Amino acid sequence: MAETSLLAALGGLLGRRGLITAPADIAPYAEDWRRLYRGRPLAVLRPANTEELAAAVALCAQSGIATVPQGGNTSMVGGATPHEDGREVVVSLARLNRVRALDPVDLTMTVEAGVTLQAAQDAAAEAGTLLTLSIASEGSATIGGVLSTNAGGNHTLRYGNARDLVLGLEVVLADGQVWNGLRRLRKDNTGYCLRQLFVGAEGTLGIITAAVLRLAPPLRQRVVGFAAVPHPEAALALLNRCQRHDPAALLAFEYMNQAGMALVLRHIPDTSLPLAAAAAAHYVLIELATARARDENGAGDLALALEELLAAALAAGEVSDATIAATEAQARAIWRLREDHAEAQRRAGASIKNDVSVPVSEVPQFLREASSACTTLVPGCAVIAFGHMGDGNIHFNLQQPDDMAAADFLARGHEVMEAVNAVVRRLGGSFSAEHGVGRLKTYMMPAWRGGAELAMMRAIKAALDPRGLMNPGKLLP
Ligand code: 2HG
Ligand code: ZN
């Protein structure tokens, strides 16, 4: 089918709301959040339901047109941005936005791919349950995207990654077939675990249209603390202290350095440091939470527990200053200091991002070695290091030097990422912790996942998408 007849057929199938072809309307779907890539898709498809999407994928396959699924378009690695060749359509899942079912007894919810993570969290909370996944971009990121990238975020140390929440999936396959695997069972040993193939596949094997997610009982107490620490080793000792105190209470343990905090305070309105002392070199955010209520005598009070923990850490020299949020608003303000790092970096100019993980115990060593490697390579650049220290995932990002053009700085990207990756490799870590491989990091796959591992991935790709029409050029080199 020629492109014009394909577009006519897609128009007939999806209707006016379901097909976008005007260049101005396509533009927002053609560029990634970091503005690293700008593609030229043939069209943007906005199907109203799974059946429409399946039929559209079949039509595109007949014409040899590839599909690029897109949720909230918050990828940090260009995973949802089309190429420049005009042989791809973007598939927006935005209209698949229903919570199909929620069962507070089973503790499961069945939710469509286009529902934002925040809307899914809200629906779970309204039913007196908890959807445990939490990421900075949850207001825009969608269920389809967080599953396709196996997002991690703030609560991994307690509840695992997106992958760990998936009980069932519905997927549109490369030829337009629909696989309905929306089972909500905790035990189901019936061969290969197909759903896990699609989680983290970044849309290269099929398009996730709905999922059954595992829920948790709601948290009855939550307390957020914020502390200045003298060095990363002290942060690690504090993490260890929290875990020894009560591993079941720790919900989040996040790290931030001074340069990142300075960017947030400069670029994000209405932010301020909640500590009395002047700026410190390193900060941590600690959140404790439990499903247990405190009893009338105050036993099991988490705020008290955190106060004692921080006092002991202060005495041991692990902490130089600390505060505990007294209200919901204060807790939210502390979390904003951490979660607005990405937005602050975007407003500040060009950045090179390394979403890496190392064993938790190696985080201090990693920070030291990677910082010295990068500042040697690009003198004057700011090291913006922050992230999910409790699970070993650090966002080791660099900000362009004041006296360097953005393009010149970004041209050093590969070199810088290789220098960071060399440290990560030495410490037994991963070059892609939670954002995925996308388009940015495909070239790294052979060096990190070569041999039998990459061969198995290619075999799976060839079996499920023999013509290479599912998000081509992403994940696999
Ligand atoms: C976060 O933890 C996100 O805020 C974004 O994963 C990290 O901008 C980044 O590198
Ligand atoms: Zn993160």
Side-chain angles (χ1 to χ4, degrees):
M1 215 188 295
E3 279 169 14
T4 41
S5 16
L6 171 64
L7 289 176
L10 287 170
L13 174 70
L14 303 172
R16 283 204 7 207
R17 279 187 72 198
L19 181 68
I20 302 178
T21 52
D25 299 333
I26 284 179
Y29 299 88
E31 191 174 35
D32 67 309
W33 190 82
R34 294 179 62 191
R35 306 187 194 106
L36 295 179
Y37 303 104
R38 176 180 280 279
R40 203 173 55 82
L42 185 60
V44 176
L45 317 187
R46 298 178 83 250
N49 52 48
T50 303
E51 293 67 36
E52 276 191 16
L53 172 56
V57 168
L59 276 176
C60 290
Q62 281 165 26
S63 302
I65 293 295
T67 53
V68 180
Q70 194 177 98
N73 199 12
T74 56
S75 175
M76 294 276 171
V77 288
T81 307
H83 287 89
E84 295 75 20
D85 60 8
R87 298 291 298 164
E88 299 176 344
V89 290
V90 170
V91 176
S92 164
L93 282 302
R95 291 172 72 201
L96 274 72
N97 61 359
R98 289 180 312 137
V99 174
R100 290 190 196 166
L102 195 153
D103 191 322
V105 177
D106 280 343
L107 284 171
T108 57
M109 77 193 293
T110 307
V111 57
E112 292 184 346
V115 174
T116 64
L117 177 53
Q118 193 167 6
Q121 291 166 346
D122 291 347
E126 265 164 45
T129 62
L130 176 73
L131 177 57
T132 57
L133 193 70
S134 165
I135 62 176
S137 57
E138 62 200 17
S140 316
T142 59
I143 294 299
V146 299
L147 296 182
S148 293
T149 56
N150 184 29
N154 307 329
H155 297 164
T156 296
L157 72 94
R158 172 94 155 248
Y159 297 111
N161 297 308
R163 186 184 290 297
D164 301 298
L165 307 180
V166 181
L167 296 176
L169 276 191
E170 179 187 85
V171 181
V172 170
L173 302 174
D175 60 0
Q177 270 190 82
V178 178
W179 171 46
N180 185 336
L182 289 173
R183 293 185 284 267
R184 52 194 176 117
L185 305 172
R186 309 288 167 147
K187 284 187 170 173
D188 176 26
N189 280 348
T190 50
Y192 303 138
C193 186
L194 295 176
R195 67 180 185 276
Q196 292 296 359
L197 272 184
F198 295 96
V199 178
E202 304 188 28
T204 62
L205 300 179
I207 301 176
I208 295 174
T209 50
V212 180
L213 302 178
R214 171 203 300 274
L215 301 171
L219 296 168
R220 313 267 270 292
Q221 289 188 72
R222 290 178 82 144
V223 53
V224 175
F226 182 80
V229 300
H231 39 70
E233 284 78 5
L236 183 63
L238 181 56
L239 168 63
N240 207 239
R241 183 182 290 281
C242 294
Q243 280 163 332
R244 275 198 320 266
H245 165 78
D246 182 359
L250 190 59
L251 181 66
F253 192 98
E254 300 280 317
Y255 168 84
M256 291 150 274
N257 74 353
Q258 184 180 31
M261 186 61 77
L263 275 197
V264 171
L265 297 175
R266 187 167 338 130
H267 292 282
I268 308 292
D270 305 322
T271 50
S272 62
L273 211 53
L275 301 175
H282 310 271
Y283 300 97
V284 297
L285 180 163
I286 301 169
E287 180 157 11
L288 305 184
T290 169
R292 260 171 286 146
R294 62 195 279 280
D295 73 16
E296 298 115 47
N297 316 319
D301 185 299
L302 277 192
L304 209 64
L306 186 54
E307 216 174 291
E308 283 167 13
L309 266 172
L310 289 171
L314 210 67
E318 291 159 10
V319 161
S320 58
D321 194 5
T323 183
I324 295 178
T327 62
E328 224 355 84
Q330 283 176 9
R332 263 202 307 275
I334 291 175
W335 264 111
R336 274 191 68 202
L337 291 176
R338 161 59 197 87
E339 291 206 305
D340 280 345
H341 268 64
E343 182 58 31
Q345 276 209 280
R346 188 160 86 135
R347 292 184 191 182
S351 60
I352 297 171
K353 289 183 189 274
N354 298 279
D355 164 44
V356 299
S357 61
V358 293
V360 177
S361 59
E362 304 283 12
V363 167
Q365 183 70 10
F366 164 73
L367 289 170
R368 244 176 253 295
E369 287 188 31
S371 299
S372 100
C374 290
T375 45
T376 310
L377 214 52
V378 188
C381 75
V383 172
I384 311 294
F386 61 96
H388 320 292
M389 180 164 181
D391 63 49
N393 172 198
I394 296 294
H395 300 302
F396 194 86
N397 299 343
L398 303 181
Q399 202 68 27
Q400 75 183 88
D402 291 338
D403 56 356
M404 196 184 226
D408 294 340
F409 177 64
L410 291 176
R412 309 286 304 273
H414 281 203
E415 217 183 316
V416 168
M417 289 193 277
E418 284 314 303
V420 173
N421 283 347
V423 181
V424 171
R425 188 187 284 277
R426 235 185 352 265
L427 297 174
S430 171
F431 71 102
S432 169
E434 62 167 4
H435 296 165
V437 174
R439 185 164 164 186
L440 184 67
K441 297 184 173 180
T442 44
Y443 76 95
M444 297 179 190
M445 285 292 274
W448 285 81
R449 297 288 178 263
E453 210 166 340
L454 195 51
M456 283 192 283
M457 290 195 206
R458 286 196 194 284
I460 292 166
K461 171 77 174 171
L464 293 185
D465 179 25
R467 295 172 62 204
L469 296 177
M470 307 310 279
N471 210 7
K474 314 288 167 50
L475 181 56
L476 294 175

